[in-house]
Amino acid sequence: MSGLKIEHVYKRYDNEGKGKKKKVNDYAVKDLNLETNEGEFVALLGPSGCGKTTTLRMTAGLEDITEGNIYINDVRVNDLHPKDRHIGLAFEDYAMYPPLTVYENIAFNLRAKGVPNDEIDRRVREIAPLMQCDDLLDMMPVKLSGGQKQRVNIARAIVRRPELLLMDEPLSHLDGKARQAMRTEIKRLINEIKCTTVYVTHDQLEAMSLADRIAIINFGVLQQYGTPAEVYDDPVNEFVASFIGEPPMNILVTTIIKDAGHFFFTFEGSDLRIQVPERYYGVVSDGFRCKVGVRPMDVLIGGPDSKGTPEKVATFENLGDERRIGIRVGEILLMLITEDDTRYKAGDIIRLEVRAEKTHLFDIETGDRIREA
Ligand code: ATP
C-alpha cells in the first residue's frame, strides 16, 4: 500500500471568488504528483495561497478535483464521500462543539458512526493519554487553553483510527513556546500511531523538524519533493533555496571572470571575489552571469592571517547564542552567522571568507539550479 498518491491533479475554482481569491481559469493547483509511503509523514510547505489547503481539501473530499486522480491506500477516492475515505482531519480552527465535554467531543464521530458505547469508551481512553488530555475529559471546551484545544482537536482526528491523517496548520493559533511543545508532541504521537500523515504548513522550521519528506509548492506547482536534508542541501531552484533555511540563503547576481587560469565570482558595486569551485569549470566561462547562493553559516570571518576580502560591517544583531552580521555587497545585504563573541559595530572591518564549495548556482532568468557538468 502506498498511503496517499496524488496523480496529475489540477484544481481550478470556477467561481470568481471574493477578495483575494483567484480569477476564473487560474489554477490553484497545477499538475500535482505526489506519492507517500505507508506511515510516512509528509509536509506540504509553501507561501500563503500556493495551494496547500486546496490539495488537502481535495484529498479529504471537501473540494472537487478538476482533473487527475487521488488514491488512498491504492483506492481511487475521487468520487468517494469524505466519510468513506478513512481519513482523520485536524484543521487550524478547532471547531469543537461548545455544549459537549471534551470526552463527548472526542467521541462525537464514533457515536455518529454507531460505534457501541463500551468501544467508544475504550478508544477515547486509549487516545486521551497519548494526547495528554486524560485530565481534560470532563471539561467544557470554553475552559481550555489554545494548546489543550489543539490536543483535543488532534485526539478527535486520530480516535477514528484513520488510514490517512490530514492536518492543516494545526499549530497556527499557538504562540512560540506552546508551538514548540506541541511540535514535539506531534512528532512523538505520529511515531507511536504510525499513521500516514499529510501536514500543511507555511513554516519551514515546522516542516523540517517534523516531516520525513517535504513537498515544496509555489503558485500551485510542486517545486521539490524530498527529505529535509535533500531540500536543504540540494535545492532544485532558487525558490526552494531561499524558502528553506533561517536566515535564508544569500542569493546574489554575479559575473564570473577568469583570472590567471581560475574563475572568480565578482559582484557589481563590491570588491568581493570568491573563487569558483572547480566542479563548475565545465559550465561557466569568462563573463558568465548567473546567481550564486551561499548560506549565512557558510560565510565566515577570517582570523588575523586571513586572505579574505576586507569588508565593512553594515549591520550587527546579537541574538544571544549567535550573532548575525550584514555586509553590503552592491545592493544586497550579505548575511553571515557567527558564534564568535566579538561585539562588532557598523563600520568595523572584517576579513570575509566564503566556503566556496558550499555555493549553489542558479539561472538568472528561470531560477533553476545550474549543476556541475
Ligand atoms: P494559506 O496558507 O494562505 O491557506 P494555501 O497555500 O493553503 O494558502 P489555498 O488556500 O489552497 O492556498 O489557495 C490556493 C489559491 O486558490 C489561492 O489563490 C486562493 O485564493 C484560491 N482559492 C482558495 N479557495 C478558493 C475558493 N473557494 N474560491 C476561489 N478561489 C479559492
Side-chain angles (χ1 to χ4, degrees), residues 4-151:
L4 171 68
K5 184 173 174 191
I6 297 178
E7 195 180 69
H8 296 296
V9 162
Y10 290 78
K11 174 67 186 180
R12 191 183 58 217
Y13 287 102
D14 285 327
N15 57 332
E16 256 310 333
K18 296 196 174 62
K20 283 196 248 157
K21 301 286 182 204
K22 289 226 164 201
K23 292 191 188 74
V24 176
N25 291 336
D26 208 352
Y27 286 93
V29 173
K30 291 177 210 141
D31 197 17
L32 180 62
N33 290 288
L34 200 72
E35 192 166 351
T36 72
N37 296 318
E38 202 190 344
E40 195 174 18
F41 190 122
V42 168
L44 302 186
L45 174 70
S48 181
C50 74
K52 308 177 293 288
T53 297
T54 301
T55 303
L56 209 71
R57 287 176 59 81
M58 287 190 288
T59 306
L62 304 172
E63 203 65 72
D64 288 339
I65 299 167
T66 306
E67 220 180 296
N69 295 303
I70 297 185
Y71 301 86
I72 297 175
N73 284 340
D74 303 331
V75 175
R76 184 175 175 274
V77 295
N78 288 40
D79 306 315
L80 280 190
H81 192 274
K83 73 173 169 34
D84 299 324
R85 295 189 183 202
H86 306 291
I87 49 172
L89 296 174
F91 283 2
E92 64 182 301
D93 51 346
Y94 316 115
M96 270 191 253
Y97 304 104
L100 302 183
T101 60
V102 165
Y103 181 104
E104 286 304 328
N105 265 285
I106 298 176
F108 191 86
N109 283 312
L110 300 179
R111 286 210 198 289
K113 272 171 60 186
V115 176
N117 277 347
D118 53 347
E119 171 69 5
I120 292 181
D121 193 58
R122 210 176 55 68
R123 279 164 66 171
V124 171
R125 293 191 190 280
E126 179 186 84
I127 291 299
L130 273 185
M131 281 321 292
Q132 296 181 1
C133 28
D134 18 359
D135 294 341
L136 312 176
L137 292 176
D138 296 329
M139 286 170 72
M140 303 307 281
V142 70
K143 301 264 186 211
L144 302 180
S145 71
Q148 290 169 329
K149 280 186 191 155
Q150 205 45 269
R151 283 201 187 93

Side-chain angles (χ1 to χ4, degrees), residues 241-262:
S242 53
F243 202 78
I244 298 281
E246 166 51 33
M249 185 185 281
N250 296 295
I251 296 183
L252 304 104
V253 173
T254 178
T255 303
I256 292 175
I257 58 149
K258 193 169 190 186
D259 187 5
H262 292 289

Side-chain angles (χ1 to χ4, degrees), residues 3 152 177 370:
V152 177
K177 245 184 168 170
I370 301 171

